[in-house]
Amino acid sequence: GGWGTLEEALEMITWQQLGYHSKPIGLLSIDNYYDGLSGFIQHVTTEGFIRESHSKIPLFGDSPDGLLDQMESYKAPRDIVTMIKEERD
């Protein structure tokens, strides 16, 4: 773990936002480990830095079963490129 692990998770989130894949991205938050990251994502969404639909790309769960349930029912949002093109038209 460390910077590389965080960078890889954010890269996969970015790739989904760009439409490169639609697979779920789950972070298992044992002992509330990822609460800070989840809060940061909420903050930057409120500030308009990340779109609401894309803020839901990373899935956070505090148990393996709960996280797997979220991942099983996940549906990826539309990619940002398509959204911007539609806004321009």
Side-chain angles (χ1 to χ4, degrees):
W3 289 115
T5 301
L6 181 59
E7 186 274 332
E8 290 293 333
L10 294 175
E11 183 175 26
M12 291 299 100
I13 293 166
T14 302
W15 283 10
Q16 186 174 124
Q17 179 183 356
L18 293 171
Y20 294 160
H21 74 87
S22 60
K23 298 174 183 170
I25 301 162
L27 297 166
L28 185 58
S29 190
I30 302 294
D31 293 329
N32 304 313
Y33 186 80
Y34 286 111
D35 284 1
L37 179 59
S38 178
F40 175 73
I41 292 169
Q42 290 172 0
H43 170 71
V44 295
T45 301
T46 300
E47 294 297 319
F49 188 70
I50 295 175
R51 293 174 186 245
E52 180 72 30
S53 61
H54 293 134
S55 71
K56 296 178 174 99
I57 292 174
L59 305 173
F60 296 92
D62 58 7
S63 73
D65 289 339
L67 184 56
L68 288 172
D69 287 344
Q70 287 185 70
M71 294 174 77
E72 191 173 290
S73 63
Y74 180 75
K75 185 177 184 304
R78 290 183 310 151
D79 66 89
I80 190 75
V81 176
T82 300
M83 292 173 84
I84 290 170
K85 284 181 181 177
E86 289 173 352
E87 290 171 1
R88 289 184 179 170
D89 292 339

